[in-house]
PDB file of all heavy atoms in Angstrom:
ATOM      1  N   ILE G   1      83.411  34.592  60.747  1.00  0.00           N
ATOM      2  CA  ILE G   1      84.130  35.862  60.757  1.00  0.00           C
ATOM      3  C   ILE G   1      84.979  35.942  59.493  1.00  0.00           C
ATOM      4  O   ILE G   1      85.752  35.040  59.190  1.00  0.00           O
ATOM      5  CB  ILE G   1      85.026  36.009  62.007  1.00  0.00           C
ATOM      6  CG1 ILE G   1      84.177  35.958  63.273  1.00  0.00           C
ATOM      7  CG2 ILE G   1      85.815  37.316  61.940  1.00  0.00           C
ATOM      8  CD1 ILE G   1      84.981  36.074  64.541  1.00  0.00           C
ATOM      9  N   LYS G   2      84.806  37.045  58.752  1.00  0.00           N
ATOM     10  CA  LYS G   2      85.544  37.263  57.519  1.00  0.00           C
ATOM     11  C   LYS G   2      86.191  38.638  57.574  1.00  0.00           C
ATOM     12  O   LYS G   2      85.590  39.593  58.040  1.00  0.00           O
ATOM     13  CB  LYS G   2      84.610  37.163  56.313  1.00  0.00           C
ATOM     14  CG  LYS G   2      85.304  37.343  54.972  1.00  0.00           C
ATOM     15  CD  LYS G   2      84.305  37.215  53.834  1.00  0.00           C
ATOM     16  CE  LYS G   2      84.993  37.392  52.479  1.00  0.00           C
ATOM     17  NZ  LYS G   2      84.020  37.283  51.359  1.00  0.00           N
ATOM     18  N   VAL G   3      87.439  38.729  57.077  1.00  0.00           N
ATOM     19  CA  VAL G   3      88.175  39.983  57.081  1.00  0.00           C
ATOM     20  C   VAL G   3      88.333  40.468  55.651  1.00  0.00           C
ATOM     21  O   VAL G   3      88.749  39.708  54.766  1.00  0.00           O
ATOM     22  CB  VAL G   3      89.557  39.824  57.742  1.00  0.00           C
ATOM     23  CG1 VAL G   3      90.364  41.124  57.629  1.00  0.00           C
ATOM     24  CG2 VAL G   3      89.413  39.425  59.199  1.00  0.00           C
ATOM     25  N   ILE G   4      87.983  41.711  55.428  1.00  0.00           N
ATOM     26  CA  ILE G   4      88.145  42.351  54.116  1.00  0.00           C
ATOM     27  C   ILE G   4      89.096  43.523  54.304  1.00  0.00           C
ATOM     28  O   ILE G   4      88.825  44.440  55.078  1.00  0.00           O
ATOM     29  CB  ILE G   4      86.793  42.847  53.560  1.00  0.00           C
ATOM     30  CG1 ILE G   4      85.812  41.681  53.406  1.00  0.00           C
ATOM     31  CG2 ILE G   4      86.998  43.546  52.224  1.00  0.00           C
ATOM     32  CD1 ILE G   4      84.431  42.112  52.960  1.00  0.00           C
ATOM     33  N   THR G   5      90.243  43.483  53.600  1.00  0.00           N
ATOM     34  CA  THR G   5      91.237  44.549  53.717  1.00  0.00           C
ATOM     35  C   THR G   5      90.950  45.614  52.677  1.00  0.00           C
ATOM     36  O   THR G   5      90.803  45.313  51.483  1.00  0.00           O
ATOM     37  CB  THR G   5      92.653  43.998  53.513  1.00  0.00           C
ATOM     38  OG1 THR G   5      92.893  42.959  54.477  1.00  0.00           O
ATOM     39  CG2 THR G   5      93.695  45.094  53.689  1.00  0.00           C
ATOM     40  N   LEU G   6      90.866  46.836  53.138  1.00  0.00           N
ATOM     41  CA  LEU G   6      90.604  47.941  52.226  1.00  0.00           C
ATOM     42  C   LEU G   6      91.886  48.359  51.525  1.00  0.00           C
ATOM     43  O   LEU G   6      92.952  48.445  52.150  1.00  0.00           O
ATOM     44  CB  LEU G   6      90.012  49.131  52.982  1.00  0.00           C
ATOM     45  CG  LEU G   6      88.663  48.896  53.674  1.00  0.00           C
ATOM     46  CD1 LEU G   6      88.212  50.174  54.372  1.00  0.00           C
ATOM     47  CD2 LEU G   6      87.607  48.455  52.674  1.00  0.00           C
ATOM     48  N   GLY G   7      91.764  48.634  50.220  1.00  0.00           N
ATOM     49  CA  GLY G   7      92.906  49.115  49.470  1.00  0.00           C
ATOM     50  C   GLY G   7      93.060  50.607  49.595  1.00  0.00           C
ATOM     51  O   GLY G   7      92.517  51.246  50.505  1.00  0.00           O
ATOM     52  N   ASP G   8      93.807  51.183  48.686  1.00  0.00           N
ATOM     53  CA  ASP G   8      94.004  52.630  48.689  1.00  0.00           C
ATOM     54  C   ASP G   8      92.677  53.324  48.385  1.00  0.00           C
ATOM     55  O   ASP G   8      91.966  52.957  47.440  1.00  0.00           O
ATOM     56  CB  ASP G   8      95.052  53.027  47.647  1.00  0.00           C
ATOM     57  CG  ASP G   8      96.430  52.474  47.998  1.00  0.00           C
ATOM     58  OD1 ASP G   8      96.657  52.234  49.197  1.00  0.00           O
ATOM     59  OD2 ASP G   8      97.239  52.256  47.074  1.00  0.00           O
ATOM     60  N   THR G   9      92.355  54.298  49.172  1.00  0.00           N
ATOM     61  CA  THR G   9      91.113  55.044  48.972  1.00  0.00           C
ATOM     62  C   THR G   9      91.362  56.245  48.079  1.00  0.00           C
ATOM     63  O   THR G   9      92.461  56.819  48.073  1.00  0.00           O
ATOM     64  CB  THR G   9      90.545  55.520  50.315  1.00  0.00           C
ATOM     65  OG1 THR G   9      91.521  56.340  50.975  1.00  0.00           O
ATOM     66  CG2 THR G   9      90.192  54.327  51.192  1.00  0.00           C
ATOM     67  N   SER G  10      90.356  56.616  47.318  1.00  0.00           N
ATOM     68  CA  SER G  10      90.457  57.750  46.411  1.00  0.00           C
ATOM     69  C   SER G  10      89.715  58.942  46.999  1.00  0.00           C
ATOM     70  O   SER G  10      88.687  58.800  47.658  1.00  0.00           O
ATOM     71  CB  SER G  10      89.867  57.383  45.043  1.00  0.00           C
ATOM     72  OG  SER G  10      89.843  58.513  44.192  1.00  0.00           O
ATOM     73  N   THR G  11      90.271  60.107  46.749  1.00  0.00           N
ATOM     74  CA  THR G  11      89.638  61.335  47.240  1.00  0.00           C
ATOM     75  C   THR G  11      88.666  61.920  46.216  1.00  0.00           C
ATOM     76  O   THR G  11      88.042  62.940  46.492  1.00  0.00           O
ATOM     77  CB  THR G  11      90.709  62.383  47.570  1.00  0.00           C
ATOM     78  OG1 THR G  11      91.498  62.635  46.392  1.00  0.00           O
ATOM     79  CG2 THR G  11      91.618  61.896  48.695  1.00  0.00           C
ATOM     80  N   HIS G  12      88.560  61.286  45.043  1.00  0.00           N
ATOM     81  CA  HIS G  12      87.656  61.787  44.008  1.00  0.00           C
ATOM     82  C   HIS G  12      86.218  61.442  44.372  1.00  0.00           C
ATOM     83  O   HIS G  12      85.932  60.370  44.914  1.00  0.00           O
ATOM     84  CB  HIS G  12      88.018  61.197  42.645  1.00  0.00           C
ATOM     85  CG  HIS G  12      89.375  61.597  42.162  1.00  0.00           C
ATOM     86  ND1 HIS G  12      89.667  62.875  41.715  1.00  0.00           N
ATOM     87  CD2 HIS G  12      90.538  60.890  42.067  1.00  0.00           C
ATOM     88  CE1 HIS G  12      90.932  62.938  41.353  1.00  0.00           C
ATOM     89  NE2 HIS G  12      91.486  61.742  41.557  1.00  0.00           N
ATOM     90  N   ARG G  13      85.331  62.348  44.036  1.00  0.00           N
ATOM     91  CA  ARG G  13      83.927  62.150  44.323  1.00  0.00           C
ATOM     92  C   ARG G  13      83.354  61.055  43.426  1.00  0.00           C
ATOM     93  O   ARG G  13      83.629  61.011  42.225  1.00  0.00           O
ATOM     94  CB  ARG G  13      83.163  63.460  44.098  1.00  0.00           C
ATOM     95  CG  ARG G  13      81.677  63.386  44.433  1.00  0.00           C
ATOM     96  CD  ARG G  13      81.031  64.732  44.259  1.00  0.00           C
ATOM     97  NE  ARG G  13      79.610  64.678  44.576  1.00  0.00           N
ATOM     98  CZ  ARG G  13      78.779  65.715  44.503  1.00  0.00           C
ATOM     99  NH1 ARG G  13      79.253  66.901  44.131  1.00  0.00           N
ATOM    100  NH2 ARG G  13      77.513  65.586  44.797  1.00  0.00           N
ATOM    101  N   TYR G  14      82.578  60.191  44.005  1.00  0.00           N
ATOM    102  CA  TYR G  14      82.008  59.073  43.247  1.00  0.00           C
ATOM    103  C   TYR G  14      80.962  59.585  42.276  1.00  0.00           C
ATOM    104  O   TYR G  14      80.139  60.440  42.596  1.00  0.00           O
ATOM    105  CB  TYR G  14      81.362  58.059  44.195  1.00  0.00           C
ATOM    106  CG  TYR G  14      80.575  56.982  43.479  1.00  0.00           C
ATOM    107  CD1 TYR G  14      81.221  55.907  42.867  1.00  0.00           C
ATOM    108  CD2 TYR G  14      79.191  57.056  43.384  1.00  0.00           C
ATOM    109  CE1 TYR G  14      80.515  54.924  42.202  1.00  0.00           C
ATOM    110  CE2 TYR G  14      78.468  56.089  42.706  1.00  0.00           C
ATOM    111  CZ  TYR G  14      79.133  55.017  42.119  1.00  0.00           C
ATOM    112  OH  TYR G  14      78.420  54.055  41.455  1.00  0.00           O
ATOM    113  N   GLN G  15      81.020  59.033  41.051  1.00  0.00           N
ATOM    114  CA  GLN G  15      80.026  59.343  40.035  1.00  0.00           C
ATOM    115  C   GLN G  15      79.567  58.040  39.400  1.00  0.00           C
ATOM    116  O   GLN G  15      80.388  57.191  39.037  1.00  0.00           O
ATOM    117  CB  GLN G  15      80.596  60.268  38.957  1.00  0.00           C
ATOM    118  CG  GLN G  15      80.867  61.691  39.444  1.00  0.00           C
ATOM    119  CD  GLN G  15      81.324  62.593  38.315  1.00  0.00           C
ATOM    120  OE1 GLN G  15      81.641  62.123  37.229  1.00  0.00           O
ATOM    121  NE2 GLN G  15      81.347  63.890  38.580  1.00  0.00           N
ATOM    122  N   SER G  16      78.287  57.895  39.291  1.00  0.00           N
ATOM    123  CA  SER G  16      77.739  56.686  38.684  1.00  0.00           C
ATOM    124  C   SER G  16      78.130  56.620  37.216  1.00  0.00           C
ATOM    125  O   SER G  16      78.108  57.646  36.514  1.00  0.00           O
ATOM    126  CB  SER G  16      76.215  56.678  38.829  1.00  0.00           C
ATOM    127  OG  SER G  16      75.663  55.595  38.128  1.00  0.00           O
ATOM    128  N   PRO G  17      78.508  55.423  36.708  1.00  0.00           N
ATOM    129  CA  PRO G  17      78.913  55.328  35.290  1.00  0.00           C
ATOM    130  C   PRO G  17      77.768  55.561  34.320  1.00  0.00           C
ATOM    131  O   PRO G  17      77.992  55.763  33.136  1.00  0.00           O
ATOM    132  CB  PRO G  17      79.446  53.887  35.184  1.00  0.00           C
ATOM    133  CG  PRO G  17      78.790  53.161  36.306  1.00  0.00           C
ATOM    134  CD  PRO G  17      78.662  54.154  37.412  1.00  0.00           C
ATOM    135  N   HIS G  18      76.532  55.528  34.788  1.00  0.00           N
ATOM    136  CA  HIS G  18      75.383  55.688  33.908  1.00  0.00           C
ATOM    137  C   HIS G  18      74.586  56.940  34.281  1.00  0.00           C
ATOM    138  O   HIS G  18      73.364  56.938  34.242  1.00  0.00           O
ATOM    139  CB  HIS G  18      74.480  54.455  33.976  1.00  0.00           C
ATOM    140  CG  HIS G  18      75.184  53.185  33.626  1.00  0.00           C
ATOM    141  ND1 HIS G  18      75.602  52.884  32.348  1.00  0.00           N
ATOM    142  CD2 HIS G  18      75.556  52.145  34.407  1.00  0.00           C
ATOM    143  CE1 HIS G  18      76.189  51.703  32.339  1.00  0.00           C
ATOM    144  NE2 HIS G  18      76.180  51.238  33.572  1.00  0.00           N
ATOM    145  N   THR G  19      75.279  57.975  34.659  1.00  0.00           N
ATOM    146  CA  THR G  19      74.569  59.199  35.036  1.00  0.00           C
ATOM    147  C   THR G  19      74.066  59.919  33.800  1.00  0.00           C
ATOM    148  O   THR G  19      74.813  60.155  32.838  1.00  0.00           O
ATOM    149  CB  THR G  19      75.505  60.126  35.826  1.00  0.00           C
ATOM    150  OG1 THR G  19      76.673  60.378  35.043  1.00  0.00           O
ATOM    151  CG2 THR G  19      75.892  59.497  37.150  1.00  0.00           C
ATOM    152  N   THR G  20      72.825  60.239  33.818  1.00  0.00           N
ATOM    153  CA  THR G  20      72.211  61.020  32.740  1.00  0.00           C
ATOM    154  C   THR G  20      71.358  62.109  33.371  1.00  0.00           C
ATOM    155  O   THR G  20      70.718  61.898  34.392  1.00  0.00           O
ATOM    156  CB  THR G  20      71.332  60.127  31.841  1.00  0.00           C
ATOM    157  OG1 THR G  20      70.361  59.466  32.646  1.00  0.00           O
ATOM    158  CG2 THR G  20      72.183  59.104  31.096  1.00  0.00           C
ATOM    159  N   ASP G  21      71.402  63.261  32.741  1.00  0.00           N
ATOM    160  CA  ASP G  21      70.607  64.376  33.235  1.00  0.00           C
ATOM    161  C   ASP G  21      69.144  64.170  32.861  1.00  0.00           C
ATOM    162  O   ASP G  21      68.805  64.079  31.668  1.00  0.00           O
ATOM    163  CB  ASP G  21      71.119  65.696  32.661  1.00  0.00           C
ATOM    164  CG  ASP G  21      72.528  65.996  33.150  1.00  0.00           C
ATOM    165  OD1 ASP G  21      72.871  65.523  34.251  1.00  0.00           O
ATOM    166  OD2 ASP G  21      73.265  66.691  32.423  1.00  0.00           O
ATOM    167  N   ILE G  22      68.300  64.071  33.858  1.00  0.00           N
ATOM    168  CA  ILE G  22      66.875  63.857  33.635  1.00  0.00           C
ATOM    169  C   ILE G  22      66.135  65.121  34.035  1.00  0.00           C
ATOM    170  O   ILE G  22      66.298  65.618  35.153  1.00  0.00           O
ATOM    171  CB  ILE G  22      66.366  62.648  34.439  1.00  0.00           C
ATOM    172  CG1 ILE G  22      67.148  61.388  34.066  1.00  0.00           C
ATOM    173  CG2 ILE G  22      64.879  62.441  34.205  1.00  0.00           C
ATOM    174  CD1 ILE G  22      66.758  60.176  34.888  1.00  0.00           C
ATOM    175  N   ALA G  23      65.365  65.614  33.107  1.00  0.00           N
ATOM    176  CA  ALA G  23      64.565  66.811  33.405  1.00  0.00           C
ATOM    177  C   ALA G  23      63.341  66.395  34.213  1.00  0.00           C
ATOM    178  O   ALA G  23      62.571  65.530  33.799  1.00  0.00           O
ATOM    179  CB  ALA G  23      64.144  67.494  32.107  1.00  0.00           C
ATOM    180  N   LEU G  24      63.208  66.988  35.373  1.00  0.00           N
ATOM    181  CA  LEU G  24      62.108  66.653  36.262  1.00  0.00           C
ATOM    182  C   LEU G  24      61.039  67.741  36.181  1.00  0.00           C
ATOM    183  O   LEU G  24      61.341  68.931  36.292  1.00  0.00           O
ATOM    184  CB  LEU G  24      62.603  66.516  37.712  1.00  0.00           C
ATOM    185  CG  LEU G  24      63.657  65.436  37.963  1.00  0.00           C
ATOM    186  CD1 LEU G  24      64.065  65.441  39.434  1.00  0.00           C
ATOM    187  CD2 LEU G  24      63.120  64.067  37.566  1.00  0.00           C
ATOM    188  N   ASP G  25      59.828  67.321  35.952  1.00  0.00           N
ATOM    189  CA  ASP G  25      58.697  68.245  35.888  1.00  0.00           C
ATOM    190  C   ASP G  25      57.603  67.744  36.806  1.00  0.00           C
ATOM    191  O   ASP G  25      57.438  66.535  36.998  1.00  0.00           O
ATOM    192  CB  ASP G  25      58.147  68.358  34.460  1.00  0.00           C
ATOM    193  CG  ASP G  25      59.171  68.965  33.505  1.00  0.00           C
ATOM    194  OD1 ASP G  25      59.863  69.907  33.929  1.00  0.00           O
ATOM    195  OD2 ASP G  25      59.286  68.477  32.369  1.00  0.00           O
ATOM    196  N   ALA G  26      56.870  68.677  37.355  1.00  0.00           N
ATOM    197  CA  ALA G  26      55.745  68.296  38.195  1.00  0.00           C
ATOM    198  C   ALA G  26      54.650  67.686  37.327  1.00  0.00           C
ATOM    199  O   ALA G  26      54.423  68.096  36.186  1.00  0.00           O
ATOM    200  CB  ALA G  26      55.205  69.517  38.942  1.00  0.00           C
ATOM    201  N   ALA G  27      53.990  66.676  37.849  1.00  0.00           N
ATOM    202  CA  ALA G  27      52.903  66.031  37.122  1.00  0.00           C
ATOM    203  C   ALA G  27      51.747  67.007  36.940  1.00  0.00           C
ATOM    204  O   ALA G  27      51.477  67.847  37.795  1.00  0.00           O
ATOM    205  CB  ALA G  27      52.443  64.784  37.868  1.00  0.00           C
ATOM    206  N   ILE G  28      51.093  66.900  35.824  1.00  0.00           N
ATOM    207  CA  ILE G  28      49.954  67.768  35.520  1.00  0.00           C
ATOM    208  C   ILE G  28      48.680  67.122  36.049  1.00  0.00           C
ATOM    209  O   ILE G  28      48.396  65.962  35.762  1.00  0.00           O
ATOM    210  CB  ILE G  28      49.841  67.990  33.999  1.00  0.00           C
ATOM    211  CG1 ILE G  28      51.127  68.646  33.465  1.00  0.00           C
ATOM    212  CG2 ILE G  28      48.627  68.858  33.669  1.00  0.00           C
ATOM    213  CD1 ILE G  28      51.140  68.814  31.968  1.00  0.00           C
ATOM    214  N   PHE G  29      47.970  67.878  36.833  1.00  0.00           N
ATOM    215  CA  PHE G  29      46.736  67.362  37.423  1.00  0.00           C
ATOM    216  C   PHE G  29      45.628  67.397  36.368  1.00  0.00           C
ATOM    217  O   PHE G  29      45.294  68.455  35.827  1.00  0.00           O
ATOM    218  CB  PHE G  29      46.344  68.211  38.637  1.00  0.00           C
ATOM    219  CG  PHE G  29      45.161  67.678  39.388  1.00  0.00           C
ATOM    220  CD1 PHE G  29      45.305  66.624  40.269  1.00  0.00           C
ATOM    221  CD2 PHE G  29      43.901  68.225  39.209  1.00  0.00           C
ATOM    222  CE1 PHE G  29      44.234  66.127  40.971  1.00  0.00           C
ATOM    223  CE2 PHE G  29      42.811  67.736  39.904  1.00  0.00           C
ATOM    224  CZ  PHE G  29      42.982  66.677  40.785  1.00  0.00           C
ATOM    225  N   LYS G  30      45.079  66.244  36.050  1.00  0.00           N
ATOM    226  CA  LYS G  30      44.067  66.137  35.009  1.00  0.00           C
ATOM    227  C   LYS G  30      42.703  65.706  35.535  1.00  0.00           C
ATOM    228  O   LYS G  30      41.746  65.665  34.773  1.00  0.00           O
ATOM    229  CB  LYS G  30      44.532  65.145  33.936  1.00  0.00           C
ATOM    230  CG  LYS G  30      45.824  65.561  33.239  1.00  0.00           C
ATOM    231  CD  LYS G  30      46.227  64.545  32.193  1.00  0.00           C
ATOM    232  CE  LYS G  30      47.512  64.973  31.475  1.00  0.00           C
ATOM    233  NZ  LYS G  30      47.917  63.986  30.447  1.00  0.00           N
ATOM    234  N   ARG G  31      42.630  65.345  36.794  1.00  0.00           N
ATOM    235  CA  ARG G  31      41.351  64.922  37.341  1.00  0.00           C
ATOM    236  C   ARG G  31      40.422  66.111  37.546  1.00  0.00           C
ATOM    237  O   ARG G  31      40.857  67.259  37.613  1.00  0.00           O
ATOM    238  CB  ARG G  31      41.558  64.214  38.680  1.00  0.00           C
ATOM    239  CG  ARG G  31      42.252  62.873  38.579  1.00  0.00           C
ATOM    240  CD  ARG G  31      42.508  62.322  39.957  1.00  0.00           C
ATOM    241  NE  ARG G  31      41.267  62.286  40.741  1.00  0.00           N
ATOM    242  CZ  ARG G  31      41.247  62.163  42.065  1.00  0.00           C
ATOM    243  NH1 ARG G  31      42.364  62.099  42.742  1.00  0.00           N
ATOM    244  NH2 ARG G  31      40.092  62.118  42.700  1.00  0.00           N
TER     245      ARG G  31
END
């Protein structure tokens, strides 16, 4: 049994430090 005490929580929305905008396109059917 292990106890982990939570610190002060933030109300800010989480954002990944490596967020990059990726343009998503549908794959082109070539068959």
Side-chain angles (χ1 to χ4, degrees):
I1 299 179
K2 181 179 180 181
V3 175
I4 300 176
T5 303
L6 298 180
D8 295 335
T9 58
S10 174
T11 58
H12 296 288
R13 183 177 180 180
Y14 171 78
Q15 290 185 348
S16 174
H18 303 290
T19 56
T20 56
D21 295 333
I22 302 176
L24 299 179
D25 296 320
I28 300 176
F29 186 79
K30 299 180 179 180
R31 291 175 54 197

